Structure formats: C-alpha cells, structure tokens
Amino acid sequence: MPKMKTKSSAKKRFKITATGKVLGGQAGKRHGMIKRSRKFIRNARGTTALSAPDAKIIKGFMPYDR
C-alpha cells in the first residue's frame, strides 16, 4: 500500500504537541482591528489548542504526526 500524504496546508498551519493536542493560530486577527477591543486583540495573540472535533479533522490531514 502506498504512503499516505500529509496535507501541505495543514503542516504549515498546525502543530501537534507530544500529548496529542493540536495547536493553531488564533482566529479573528486578519482585519478590522479598529472595531475590536484591546482586550480581544491582546488575548488573541499566539496559538491556542483546537477543540476536539476540529483536532480530529486536522489529525486526519497529518497521518504521521501522531
């Protein structure tokens, strides 16, 4: 059976931790920063762990990062 391929878009955007959690960038910071509160902008820095249903989808795209 041939090797499964990793989705290139997923490997660029997500990281799987040693415990199996999927980390991804925070949503909502591409545009429209003026109308967002300072607290929202501050809290949306860095990365966050994805929810379980989203993480399951991403892990399907990255078969060898488990």
Side-chain angles (χ1 to χ4, degrees):
M1 191 168 155
K3 290 182 183 177
M4 293 173 67
K5 288 193 173 181
T6 298
K7 280 252 191 225
S8 291
S9 58
K11 71 182 174 188
K12 292 171 188 173
R13 289 172 174 85
F14 302 103
K15 177 179 183 264
I16 298 182
T17 64
T19 57
K21 292 179 184 173
V22 180
L23 299 179
Q26 292 272 15
K29 287 198 69 181
R30 293 290 180 192
H31 58 83
M33 291 301 106
I34 290 173
K35 64 181 124 182
R36 311 227 195 274
S37 68
R38 294 285 171 213
K39 183 179 179 182
F40 177 91
I41 295 170
R42 221 174 26 247
N43 290 340
R45 281 186 198 142
T47 58
T48 186
L50 269 61
S51 63
D54 291 338
K56 187 176 178 184
I57 293 166
I58 299 303
K59 284 181 180 178
F61 293 156
M62 300 164 71
Y64 299 108
D65 284 342
R66 299 204 178 185

